[in-house]
């Protein structure tokens, strides 16, 4: 006891010191970012204060500039350039030059970069959310959940675990290579190209940027033409943080434009990360084939939301409505197909109907609205088309939310949350990605049936399963062909940034997020070296040295059995043969040489 007592005291003192050190915040520099042209304080110039009417059809997807406006109010925000092929090539070249220097940076410097960003984000949450809201139409709460929390969690995970997952990882060397040391090294790929969607303009820029920079790469991000105004401001935050740590100023680039801009990026970089529609994803994959660069595609979703008969209905109904509003056209492809056990079907419909009827859509920065405007002009026409197809085939609308303080000329910008029943899989609404606040609810009778229904889709991004029996919910979720699954919750997988994110089928392939996403930004190199160099070196056994000995193949047969034979006696007998042949003198080369000499 006298021996252990001092050790216990030292361990306790060490723990107390570590705890006290945690209470002391690290010294992190602050950065200043120019916000004079993004704050809506009524001081904007007159030419940037009019109502913008975007052109219909494909004409809005071309030209030398990208027009920016608030989808909730149609207030004009200004414009950004649509970069040409040559301009994109020039930007990538600058990033490539900067990356060669950054690849030599320490993890200490990279962590400081993350801490500077985290400090700024926490201090300026309202500013970041307001800019996201103005550019996409989402509410401040939705922006906080989807933009701020996810990004902060990503940074926190990288700070805590990022370095350990990028260090060389030692692997088993196997029986035949016991004298060797095997490892996997993770080196920067070079320049990552990211083409991101409009639904989360802040997080969609920071998510690939953080992984790319922390793993030693440079990155060029092509932001959506539907959210370019906010993206250009968020780029300033990154630039200021890079400058604060003395990093190369061209390490990160944000580019704007249309299809030509994206095509030029794909043909110039060392890897492409794309977040968007399956149609565009196929084109990117095809273009990437020309240079054989790796591609990560996070595409559409038609996530199933499954409710068994043994759940807490009030709780699940609230989650279900939030899952619908999170796919309200300006957020994410949330739950789009709802399967409810027939025993509780009527009760579930009644509860979500009551909630949805209390939901109001309106300008997100004017009053407390539950959902805002649709980001993309004309998107309501697509939603109407899906809804009308279902109604024509026998579906029925049972509830709709209300529209708040909007004018008659703003109908295209908003779509009230809608509950629809009597749906089936012959309807486009149950097969095509809606990306809107429509809740189609379908009955099921057994676990086997609901698994079949959930898998009857060309998409496979995510799913959510609710049951009072967690083992049952887990079993159902395990049978659904999707990249992510939440048991008795919705979308919680994305808040666990240690997990990979991505789908299967038309929802894409490859993963970002977690260890898999971080290492996907790396050249994964297998390395083997002598374990006890220079004392033990690899030598070719005499029987298989050139010219081959007469018993060369016999030696190989015995060696294979000695290493991998199933029975210990057989392996020992083979080992004796191997040792015997190694000690024998070479009788004069191969059998063919011997015959020629005779």
């Amino acid at each position: 006891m006298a021996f252990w007592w001092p050790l216990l005291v030292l361990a306790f003192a060490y723990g107390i010191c570590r705890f006290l050190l945690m209470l002391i915040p690290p010294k992190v520099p602050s950065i200043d970012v120019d916000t004079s042209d993004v704050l809506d304080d009524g001081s904007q110039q007159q030419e940037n204060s009019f109502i913008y009417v975007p052109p219909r059809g494909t004409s809005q997807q071309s030209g030398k500039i990208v027009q920016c406006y608030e989808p909730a109010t149609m207030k004009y925000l200004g414009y950004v350039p649509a970069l040409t092929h040559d301009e994109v090539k020039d930007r990538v070249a600058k990033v490539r030059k900067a990356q060669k220097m950054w690849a030599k940076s320490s993890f200490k410097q990279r962590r400081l970069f993350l801490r500077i960003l985290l400090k700024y984000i926490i201090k300026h949450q309202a500013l970041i959310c307001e800019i996201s809201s103005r550019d996409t139409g989402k509410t401040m709460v939705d922006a906080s959940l989807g933009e701020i929390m996810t990004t902060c969690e990503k940074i926190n995970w990288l700070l805590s675990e990022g370095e350990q997952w990028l260090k060389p990882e030692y692997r088993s060397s196997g029986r035949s290579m016991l004298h060797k040391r095997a490892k996997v090294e993770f080196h920067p790929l070079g320049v990552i190209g990211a083409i991101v969607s409009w639904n989360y303009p802040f997080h969609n820029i920071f998510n690939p940027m953080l992984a790319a920079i922390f793993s030693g790469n440079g990155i060029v991000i092509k932001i959506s033409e539907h959210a370019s105004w906010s993206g250009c401001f968020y780029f300033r935050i990154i630039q200021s943080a890079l400058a604060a740590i003395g990093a190369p100023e061209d390490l990160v680039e944000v580019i704007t434009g249309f299809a030509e801009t994206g095509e030029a990026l794909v043909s110039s970089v060392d890897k492409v990360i794309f977040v968007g529609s399956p149609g565009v994803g196929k084109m990117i994959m095809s273009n990437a084939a020309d240079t054989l660069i790796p591609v990560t595609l996070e595409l559409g979703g038609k996530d199933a939301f499954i409710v068994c008969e043994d759940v807490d209905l009030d709780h699940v109904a609230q989650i279900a409505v939030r899952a619908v509003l999170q796919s309200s056209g300006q957020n994410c492809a949330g739950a789009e197909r709802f399967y409810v056990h027939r025993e509780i079907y009527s009760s579930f419909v009644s509860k979500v109907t009551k909630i949805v009827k209390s939901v109001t859509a309106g300008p997100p920065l004017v009053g407390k609205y539950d959902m805002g405007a649709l980001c993309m002009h004309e998107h309501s026409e697509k939603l109407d088309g899906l809804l009308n197809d279902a109604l024509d085939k026998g579906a029925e609308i049972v509830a709709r939310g209300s529209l708040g303080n909007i004018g008659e000329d703003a109908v295209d910008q908003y779509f009230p949350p809608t509950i629809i029943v009597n749906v089936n899989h012959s309807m486009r609404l149950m097969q095509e990605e809606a990306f809107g606040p429509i809740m189609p609810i379908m009955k099921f009778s057994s676990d086997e049936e609901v698994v079949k229904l959930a898998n009857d889709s060309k998409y496979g991004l995510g799913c959510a399963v609710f049951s009072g029996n967690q083992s049952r919910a887990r079993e159902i979720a395990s049978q659904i062909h999707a990249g992510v699954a939440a048991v008795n919750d919705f979308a919680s997988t994305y808040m666990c940034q240690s997990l990979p994110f991505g789908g299967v089928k038309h929802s894409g392939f490859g993963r970002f997020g977690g260890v898999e996403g971080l290492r996907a930004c790396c050249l994964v190199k297998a390395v083997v070296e002598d374990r006890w160099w220079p004392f033990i070196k690899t030598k070719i056994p005499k029987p298989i040295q050139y010219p081959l000995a007469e018993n060369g193949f016999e030696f190989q047969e015995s060696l294979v059995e000695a290493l991998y034979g199933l029975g210990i006696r057989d392996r020992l007998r083979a080992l004796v043969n191997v040792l015997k042949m190694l000690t024998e003198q070479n009788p004069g080369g191969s059998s063919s040489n011997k015959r020629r000499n005779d």
Side-chain angles (χ1 to χ4, degrees):
M1 184 64 183
F3 173 75
W4 290 104
W5 179 248
L7 293 179
L8 291 173
V9 172
L10 287 173
F12 181 75
Y14 175 77
I16 292 295
C17 290
R18 287 292 300 269
F19 176 75
L20 292 175
L21 286 173
M22 289 174 60
L23 299 178
I24 303 174
K27 293 183 178 179
V28 179
S30 298
I31 56 174
D32 293 319
V33 180
D34 181 18
T35 61
S36 60
D37 58 341
V38 295
L39 292 176
D40 188 14
D41 57 3
S43 62
Q44 282 88 351
Q45 296 179 357
Q46 185 64 31
E47 59 266 26
N48 283 3
S49 62
F50 61 86
I51 299 300
Y52 181 72
V53 181
R56 295 271 176 171
T58 57
S59 61
Q60 62 177 331
Q61 300 296 325
S62 61
K64 295 182 179 180
I65 61 174
V66 179
Q67 304 284 7
C68 306
Y69 59 92
E70 292 183 7
T73 63
M74 304 308 292
K75 182 178 179 180
Y76 188 63
L77 295 171
Y79 66 88
V80 294
L83 300 186
T84 65
H85 185 276
D86 291 339
E87 289 172 325
V88 173
K89 293 283 187 180
D90 181 61
R91 301 282 183 94
V92 173
K94 290 180 179 179
V95 174
R96 193 174 297 282
K97 183 178 179 181
Q99 187 274 332
K100 294 184 184 301
M101 294 183 285
W102 180 249
K104 302 174 184 178
S105 64
S106 66
F107 283 111
K108 180 180 180 181
Q109 187 180 18
R110 299 175 194 181
R111 279 193 293 270
L112 181 59
F113 172 65
L114 299 188
R115 290 192 176 101
I116 292 172
L117 289 174
L118 184 60
K119 182 177 181 179
Y120 183 88
I121 293 168
I122 293 173
K123 187 176 180 180
H124 298 86
Q125 295 180 57
L127 171 67
I128 294 169
C129 290
E130 180 180 340
I131 290 173
S132 175
S133 176
R134 291 184 64 191
D135 207 17
T136 65
K138 67 179 63 180
T139 65
M140 292 287 284
V141 171
D142 284 336
S144 177
L145 289 169
E147 306 274 31
I148 302 297
M149 288 191 69
T150 50
T151 303
C152 289
E153 186 62 34
K154 176 86 170 186
I155 294 174
N156 186 66
W157 179 78
L158 285 171
L159 287 171
S160 301
E161 303 182 33
E163 181 179 355
Q164 75 178 69
W165 293 114
L166 292 177
K167 286 183 176 180
E169 183 178 279
Y170 288 89
R171 304 283 180 89
S172 167
S173 56
R175 289 181 179 177
S176 64
M177 293 286 123
L178 283 174
H179 59 297
K180 297 287 187 178
R181 183 166 51 207
K183 62 181 178 179
V184 180
E185 295 178 348
F186 304 95
H187 301 276
L189 275 174
V191 179
I192 306 295
I195 301 176
V196 299
S197 61
W198 42 264
N199 55 342
Y200 286 108
F202 181 74
H203 180 67
N204 284 348
I205 291 174
F206 273 66
N207 187 35
M209 182 276 298
L210 291 167
I213 298 305
F214 195 80
S215 54
N217 295 281
I219 186 169
V220 181
I221 308 166
K222 192 273 179 186
I223 52 180
S224 170
E225 58 269 28
H226 300 292
S228 296
W229 179 76
S230 59
C232 290
F233 171 73
Y234 298 146
F235 180 40
R236 296 179 196 170
I237 302 174
I238 299 169
Q239 287 177 307
S240 298
L242 289 173
I245 63 168
E249 62 179 357
D250 294 322
L251 187 61
V252 178
E253 276 286 353
V254 166
I255 59 176
T256 53
F258 302 106
E260 179 189 9
T261 307
E263 291 171 1
L265 181 62
V266 173
S267 64
S268 309
V269 294
D270 302 303
K271 177 186 172 69
V272 172
I273 299 171
F274 173 71
V275 181
S277 69
V280 178
K282 291 178 182 179
M283 290 189 289
I284 287 174
M285 187 176 175
S286 176
N287 292 338
D290 291 338
T291 51
L292 290 177
I293 62 169
V295 177
T296 295
L297 301 178
E298 197 273 284
L299 308 177
K302 200 71 183 171
D303 292 7
F305 190 105
I306 297 171
V307 184
C308 297
E309 74 281 4
D310 54 356
V311 299
D312 179 347
L313 269 181
D314 290 321
H315 172 67
V316 176
Q318 275 287 340
I319 296 177
V321 174
R322 175 165 292 281
V324 171
L325 298 188
Q326 284 189 338
S327 62
S328 57
Q330 81 275 7
N331 284 346
C332 66
E336 293 209 355
R337 296 179 296 156
F338 291 77
Y339 300 104
V340 180
H341 197 281
R342 62 175 59 252
E343 290 184 14
I344 60 167
Y345 184 82
S346 298
S347 299
F348 179 82
V349 171
S350 176
K351 289 184 180 296
V352 293
T353 294
K354 183 178 180 180
I355 298 172
V356 165
K357 285 183 176 179
S358 68
V359 172
T360 303
L365 297 178
V366 181
K368 295 182 179 180
Y369 290 102
D370 300 294
M371 58 176 286
L374 306 180
C375 180
M376 293 191 298
H377 198 62
E378 299 180 336
H379 188 62
S380 60
E381 294 180 5
K382 176 184 177 180
L383 297 179
D384 281 330
L386 295 175
L387 200 58
N388 291 333
D389 174 75
L391 295 176
D392 291 341
K393 294 176 180 176
E396 177 187 355
I397 295 176
V398 294
R400 304 199 80 172
S402 59
L403 297 178
N405 182 29
I406 63 172
E408 294 182 359
D409 58 345
V411 175
D412 283 352
Q413 299 150 235
Y414 297 87
F415 196 94
T418 303
I419 297 177
I420 183 169
V421 296
N422 298 331
V423 294
N424 58 62
H425 281 205
S426 69
M427 302 170 182
R428 291 171 52 207
L429 181 60
M430 297 296 282
Q431 296 294 337
E432 300 178 20
E433 184 179 33
F435 226 89
I438 303 176
M439 179 189 286
I441 310 176
M442 189 171 176
K443 299 176 184 177
F444 73 90
S445 300
S446 67
D447 294 357
E448 294 75 18
E449 180 188 12
V450 78
V451 168
K452 184 177 180 180
L453 289 170
N455 287 330
D456 180 26
S457 173
K458 63 182 179 181
Y459 295 105
L461 184 55
C463 66
V465 183
F466 294 82
S467 171
N469 183 330
Q470 187 161 328
S471 296
R472 178 188 180 189
R474 191 185 305 120
E475 176 63 23
I476 293 173
S478 69
Q479 298 177 66
I480 296 175
H481 199 199
V484 295
V487 174
N488 284 323
D489 205 345
F490 172 76
S492 54
T493 48
Y494 203 72
M495 278 304 298
C496 298
Q497 284 291 317
S498 63
L499 295 176
F501 185 83
V504 295
K505 299 188 282 189
H506 282 222
S507 291
F509 57 83
R511 297 293 183 266
F512 59 80
V515 181
E516 294 78 4
L518 185 62
R519 289 179 170 179
C521 294
C522 299
L523 164 62
V524 181
K525 182 181 293 185
V527 179
V528 175
E529 60 185 352
D530 288 309
R531 189 185 299 273
W532 296 292
W533 174 272
F535 305 106
I536 298 179
K537 302 178 183 179
T538 300
K539 289 186 177 180
I540 301 175
K542 287 183 179 180
I544 58 174
Q545 289 182 6
Y546 293 115
L548 296 175
E550 188 173 345
N551 61 349
F553 183 72
E554 181 185 352
F555 172 82
Q556 276 299 115
E557 279 188 309
S558 297
L559 180 61
V560 170
E561 187 170 4
L563 289 170
Y564 310 111
L566 298 180
I568 186 65
R569 289 185 179 180
D570 294 336
R571 289 174 61 187
L572 288 174
R573 184 180 66 251
L575 179 60
V576 170
N577 289 337
V578 168
L579 295 174
K580 182 179 179 181
M581 285 183 276
L582 285 174
T583 57
E584 288 179 351
Q585 293 295 324
N586 190 331
S590 67
S591 56
S592 60
N593 287 338
K594 186 176 181 181
R595 281 194 297 270
R596 282 197 298 270
N597 293 335
D598 291 342

